Amino acid sequence: MSLGESFEYQSLQTLKGVGPAVATKLEKLGLYTIQDMLFHFPLRYEDRTKIVPIGALRAGQQVVIEGVIEHSEVRFSRNGRSRGKNKASSGRSLLCYLSDSTGGIVLRFFYFNASQQANLTRGKRVRCFGEVRHGAGNLEITHPEYQQLVENESLPVKNTLTPVYPRTEGVHQALLRNLAEQVLIGLNEDNVPEWLPEQLLMEKRFPNLSQSLKTVHHPSADISLSSIEAVKHPAQQRLIFEELVAYRLSMIQFRQEVKKYQASAQYIDDESLKAFIKILGFELTVAQKKVIHEIMNDLKQTVPMMRLLQGDVGSGKTVVAACAALAAVHNSSQVAIMAPTEILASQLFDNFNRWFESARNKDVCLLLTGKHKGKIREEKLSAIRTGETCVIVGTHALFQQDVEFKNLSLIIVDEQHRFGVHQRLTLREKGSKNAIAPHQLIMTATPIPRSLAMTAYADLDYSVIDELPVGRKKISTVVLSDQRRSEVIERVAEACRRGGQAYWVCTLVEESEVLQCQAAEETAARLNQDFQDLSIGLVHGRMKQDEKDTVVSKFKAGEINLLVATTVIEVGVDVPNASLMVIENAERLGLSQLHQLRGRVGRGKKQSACVLMYQSPLSERARQRLSIVRENHSGFIIAQKDLEMRGAGEVLGTRQTGVVGMRIADVVRDEFMLDDVKVAAAQIQQQWPERIKPLVKRWMGRVNQYGSV
Ligand code: ADP
Ligand code: MG
């Protein structure tokens, strides 16, 4: 390793196995330096410290098993023909029946090559790791990791829990594990600086930083999976505390920054606003009116608006955004609206385009996403630069370097919970020049209670739409075990045959989009095998934009009956005819996320239904959580009840708190720390202001990082 640069800022290229090509891939995860890797925390852990007897397996467990293959065979689906280009629906699967002295299980492969087939034959001894599921009559593991064993050889098991890191395409789990191992070897007390006040570390009995990092990456085998996942270990608590301090310091910094700027006042008269609202074709709710009023008030000022708009799914945030945009257009300035996915962006564009065309009688809207390339992109960029178009809708593509606005006066971010803290903060820099900054409206459906919103978005003012438009029907929700999967499938098929449309949502622990897409592909393949009379579509994040668009527009047009999708990307689509949704592994998702997914149905006139399917057995607590969603239809109440249950120490991740991008902290779960965090942050500000920068850098990483959409 090169001398001269401190350990934590050394490039990852100083590690074994990282050349320029790998380094580029790692950058997609925001990993540049040793410090970035040290603070790239596992999302969860796998227990590979013991081999579980097959007879003791239960669905839902992730386990290491060892056994002998009794029999293996390739099965063809009923039609046996290949349907379409989709590899997953070629209709072939390899089944291996594995047993030990206590029982048997099926290993299922949808994708396999000749050598795998030759390796997995009768009499072979293998060790596998994978997730146990209910199959047709048997327990099974789909696509296990496996390792062939030589007779009488005994392979050691792991002596620490195995970390599962967030990863991205082209970056394998094994690589991340290896890099973590390498940086941990080099880590000691002296080479990662301690920024928290010493007094505080003592009072709280927090372990030191290097020890905490070691524990979090490699929890020793005597720490149980459940206790580490409950995030109560002192090592975890210490890191959470530090992250919250860093977060708070960065918020304070940003607020101070913004205060230095001026904004251009956007004034609109009541008549013009009323005329626009008329075009929408419905009466605004009281809450919508109130919120529009708050926003208009802000926009009139010469200080930049920094407002968070919270409103449940379907509460009508889009029209509020449109009214804000109108104010900008009315003043001949530009507004940028950013959505987290291309599908959502083009949907927003369609709406805005329709409304503004009728209002202004000319083309003022433009859509810019990652799929616009070459000449088309050039033309669009030019229209943005010259100010020819005022309403610019898009994805992250909007905030790339070559996008130059003429006079951007307002930024609207839709579905903020899909963006990280980093992105939000970076946006502010984009439109700011010469001491003038754009106004900002941040919209989210994530219903975090007000007090927490004030902390999580300490730099923002807060508005809420707390009622739904009249006449919405409740979505009847049922909670079912996946043992009744075939029944559910039949019911879905029946509904589709009667002209209905349905979503089938595949979920997976979100360590990787890749795996989630794979699960969706597998499900689509199975459903395709089972229902040749139905048209089944598949959308997930790894498909090409054109393919996604085609599938979604076919679904919108009613040509696809059943849409299999992943949770992260695609479910923002607005298809009023779709009235049924099945969510697999519902117990793994946050309640707010479930509520938001469910909000995709119940948009039309039909009575809609949602099936929350869980992997049995379900813990009592998980059962209670799912019934909260079944019995409640308000995102706020669901969030509140969720919070009450979490008070008791429920295991939960960052994903649902609305602050994506935090590495280990969760403002909801860790609320109890917030008072102390405030004190510590203030202390650092007063006594060690020079620590702020490195602390923020450590936790917030490179602010200029965008995920790829
Ligand atoms: P979200 O807050 O989830 O973004 P949308 O803005 O997409 O919700 O609104 C959901 C649906 O409700 C849209 O079809 C929209 O046109 C409609 N809508 C919005 N406001 C009203 C209203 N005041 N009355 C009736 N329908 C409305
Ligand atoms: Mg919306």
Side-chain angles (χ1 to χ4, degrees):
M1 290 182 183
S2 71
L3 289 172
E5 220 176 345
S6 57
F7 176 72
E8 77 266 31
Y9 294 139
Q10 277 174 21
S11 158
L12 284 174
Q13 290 203 43
T14 57
L15 300 179
K16 259 189 282 176
V18 187
V22 172
T24 308
K25 287 181 182 164
L26 291 171
E27 284 171 12
K28 282 201 248 167
L29 287 168
L31 304 177
Y32 298 80
T33 62
I34 303 257
Q35 174 165 275
D36 295 335
M37 189 65 224
L38 282 173
F39 288 80
H40 188 65
F41 297 130
L43 279 167
R44 61 187 177 84
Y45 302 87
E46 291 165 353
D47 188 351
R48 297 178 188 232
T49 63
K50 54 186 175 292
I51 294 166
V52 180
I54 295 176
L57 295 181
R58 303 203 163 191
Q61 285 177 316
Q62 287 199 320
V63 288
V64 181
I65 56 174
E66 210 172 279
V68 174
I69 296 177
E70 300 288 331
H71 168 69
S72 70
E73 65 185 24
V74 175
R75 280 258 181 96
F76 290 86
S77 67
R78 271 177 273 157
N79 70 345
R81 276 177 294 122
S82 169
R83 290 166 58 118
K85 274 184 269 169
N86 190 346
K87 218 170 48 169
S89 40
S90 65
R92 247 162 38 111
S93 42
L94 172 64
L95 303 182
C96 305
Y97 298 83
L98 185 79
S99 71
D100 65 6
S101 59
T102 64
I105 188 164
V106 176
L107 310 179
R108 181 187 289 270
F109 299 84
F110 287 103
Y111 314 93
F112 55 94
N113 56 34
S115 80
Q116 281 173 315
Q117 195 178 340
N119 272 330
L120 294 167
T121 49
R122 180 182 160 84
K124 294 275 164 62
R125 185 169 186 82
V126 287
R127 179 180 289 179
C128 310
F129 177 83
E131 181 175 324
V132 181
R133 300 199 210 173
H134 288 292
N138 241 324
L139 286 178
E140 59 179 54
I141 300 183
T142 306
H143 289 274
E145 287 170 38
Y146 66 89
Q147 202 174 1
Q148 204 158 307
L149 301 177
V150 181
E151 201 55 44
N152 296 330
E153 181 194 36
S154 81
L155 215 58
V157 288
K158 300 270 185 241
N159 57 12
T160 67
L161 296 178
T162 304
V164 179
Y165 294 102
R167 64 185 183 96
T168 186
E169 194 147 16
V171 179
H172 293 289
Q173 203 51 252
L175 173 67
L176 292 168
R177 286 179 186 152
N178 177 279
L179 297 183
E181 256 164 51
Q182 291 187 55
V183 298
L184 289 176
I185 289 171
L187 174 71
N188 62 52
E189 247 176 84
D190 302 322
N191 60 15
V192 280
E194 182 64 76
W195 303 125
L196 291 180
E198 203 170 310
Q199 180 75 24
L200 175 112
L201 293 175
M202 280 184 358
E203 273 167 22
K204 298 209 169 283
R205 293 168 195 265
F206 281 150
N208 71 29
L209 183 57
S210 58
Q211 194 48 52
S212 303
L213 290 170
K214 281 181 179 155
T215 305
V216 165
H217 285 280
H218 290 161
S220 62
D222 59 352
I223 301 178
S224 77
L225 200 59
S226 58
S227 77
I228 194 95
E229 287 187 340
V231 207
K232 289 291 173 213
H233 193 282
Q236 293 169 305
Q237 293 284 299
R238 185 235 129 86
L239 292 168
I240 290 169
F241 194 91
E242 185 175 321
E243 176 163 36
L244 290 170
V245 169
Y247 185 83
R248 183 162 173 87
L249 286 169
S250 77
M251 287 290 151
I252 293 170
Q253 253 188 340
F254 272 102
R255 199 163 35 182
Q256 287 167 348
E257 289 282 298
V258 169
K259 278 193 188 149
K260 293 186 200 147
Y261 286 94
Q262 288 228 312
S264 69
Q266 308 294 312
Y267 181 79
I268 183 168
D269 58 288
D270 280 353
E271 288 313 307
S272 308
L273 186 58
K274 276 194 186 126
F276 183 73
I277 290 169
K278 235 185 188 152
I279 293 169
L280 303 174
F282 41 71
E283 188 66 24
L284 293 184
T285 62
V286 173
Q288 282 171 319
K289 286 185 191 154
K290 181 193 73 194
V291 165
I292 290 173
H293 184 73
E294 288 167 352
I295 292 170
M296 292 304 166
N297 242 347
D298 280 4
L299 290 177
K300 278 192 284 200
Q301 316 296 326
T302 53
V303 288
M305 168 172 81
M306 289 289 153
R307 190 166 281 278
L308 175 70
L309 171 58
Q310 256 187 328
D312 210 347
V313 230
S315 63
K317 293 184 291 296
T318 317
V319 302
V320 173
C323 290
L326 180 75
V329 174
H330 194 74
N331 289 273
S332 308
S333 64
Q334 291 174 309
V335 45
I337 300 126
M338 184 163 89
T341 68
E342 305 216 357
I343 291 173
L344 288 178
S346 63
Q347 222 167 245
L348 270 177
F349 172 77
D350 289 344
N351 282 325
F352 275 62
N353 201 32
R354 204 174 62 240
W355 294 329
F356 280 93
E357 260 188 358
S358 342
R360 313 288 296 184
N361 260 330
K362 61 170 189 174
D363 256 352
V364 294
C365 298
L366 175 150
L367 176 67
L368 181 72
T369 70
K371 80 172 174 193
H372 300 119
K373 301 226 157 77
K375 198 156 168 269
I376 295 184
R377 182 173 164 92
E378 277 313 311
E379 281 168 17
K380 290 184 182 246
L381 291 185
S382 149
I384 298 172
R385 198 163 44 237
T386 59
E388 200 181 309
T389 54
C390 312
V391 181
I392 298 117
V393 183
T395 52
H396 304 117
L398 282 184
F399 296 93
Q400 275 155 11
Q401 290 221 312
D402 57 343
V403 185
E404 214 184 294
F405 293 88
K406 178 162 183 250
N407 54 355
L408 183 63
S409 71
L410 171 64
I411 292 173
I412 301 175
V413 183
D414 194 14
E415 303 295 349
Q416 194 277 324
H417 62 283
R418 298 285 191 78
F419 294 102
V421 188
H422 314 64
Q423 278 98 326
R424 180 161 68 82
L425 299 181
T426 313
L427 284 190
R428 295 185 176 172
E429 281 162 21
K430 183 70 190 181
S432 314
K433 13 177 192 220
N434 308 330
I436 302 278
H439 295 285
Q440 289 194 42
L441 178 63
I442 315 292
M443 308 201 291
T444 179
T446 306
I448 40 179
R450 187 179 192 107
S451 61
L452 288 171
M454 306 305 261
T455 314
Y457 302 101
D459 54 334
L460 300 177
D461 295 314
Y462 175 79
S463 290
V464 58
I465 307 183
D466 50 9
E467 66 180 323
L468 292 182
V470 286
R472 290 275 163 85
K473 287 202 177 96
K474 280 185 182 161
I475 301 157
S476 65
T477 305
V478 290
V479 177
L480 286 180
S481 154
D482 68 348
Q483 282 165 328
R484 293 172 66 184
R485 191 186 166 92
S486 46
E487 221 177 289
V488 172
I489 292 178
E490 267 312 322
R491 192 174 140 190
V492 172
E494 213 25 67
C496 289
R497 287 187 189 111
R498 286 196 310 263
Q501 285 179 288
Y503 294 94
W504 189 287
V505 185
C506 297
T507 64
L508 206 78
V509 182
E510 290 178 21
E511 80 217 40
S512 141
E513 204 193 320
V514 181
L515 290 183
Q516 204 176 54
C517 298
Q518 225 172 55
E521 277 175 2
E522 283 170 17
T523 304
R526 277 178 194 221
L527 292 171
N528 248 325
Q529 283 182 16
D530 292 344
F531 300 105
Q532 269 118 53
D533 58 326
L534 295 180
S535 157
I536 293 164
L538 169 67
V539 274
H540 61 60
R542 292 176 78 219
M543 287 163 58
K544 292 224 175 67
Q545 189 54 37
D546 291 352
E547 296 171 342
K548 281 197 256 183
D549 286 346
T550 312
V551 174
V552 170
S553 52
K554 277 189 178 167
F555 190 57
K556 280 190 176 179
E559 289 162 32
I560 286 174
N561 307 112
L562 177 59
L563 185 65
V564 178
T566 50
T567 44
V568 195
I569 314 275
E570 271 68 36
V571 276
V573 286
D574 185 29
V575 181
N577 189 51
S579 58
L580 186 57
M581 173 175 284
V582 179
I583 305 176
E584 281 197 277
N585 301 319
E587 77 280 8
R588 288 179 177 174
L589 296 186
L591 300 193
S592 296
Q593 201 184 355
L594 282 174
H595 173 70
Q596 283 174 33
L597 279 170
R598 178 174 63 175
R600 298 301 132 205
V601 293
R603 305 195 144 221
K605 294 188 183 68
K606 279 191 205 173
Q607 174 61 51
S608 294
C610 178
V611 179
L612 305 178
M613 201 151 75
Y614 61 84
Q615 264 187 6
S616 55
L618 195 61
S619 71
E620 184 46 38
R621 187 162 211 97
R623 186 178 303 279
Q624 279 174 25
R625 297 183 75 241
L626 290 180
S627 34
I628 291 178
V629 179
R630 185 184 60 213
E631 283 152 25
N632 294 281
H633 294 83
S634 146
F636 284 88
I637 292 175
I638 289 173
Q640 195 57 49
K641 298 208 171 188
D642 193 13
L643 188 63
E644 284 160 18
M645 284 200 64
R646 286 193 217 195
E650 183 74 346
V651 179
L652 285 157
T654 315
R655 282 255 165 210
Q656 38 181 334
T657 62
V659 193
V660 178
M662 283 200 175
R663 292 163 191 256
I664 187 167
D666 174 329
V667 282
V668 177
R669 181 195 61 209
D670 307 320
E671 190 198 4
F672 70 96
M673 288 188 191
L674 294 175
D675 286 341
D676 290 347
V677 164
K678 256 187 210 173
V679 173
Q683 206 182 350
I684 290 173
Q685 258 187 310
Q686 280 156 17
Q687 298 182 35
W688 304 284
E690 72 285 357
R691 292 184 183 182
I692 296 177
K693 210 168 152 200
L695 245 181
V696 171
K697 184 168 174 183
R698 174 181 285 173
W699 287 96
M700 319 294 279
R702 305 212 167 187
V703 165
N704 248 332
Q705 265 314 111
Y706 293 124
S708 50
V709 165

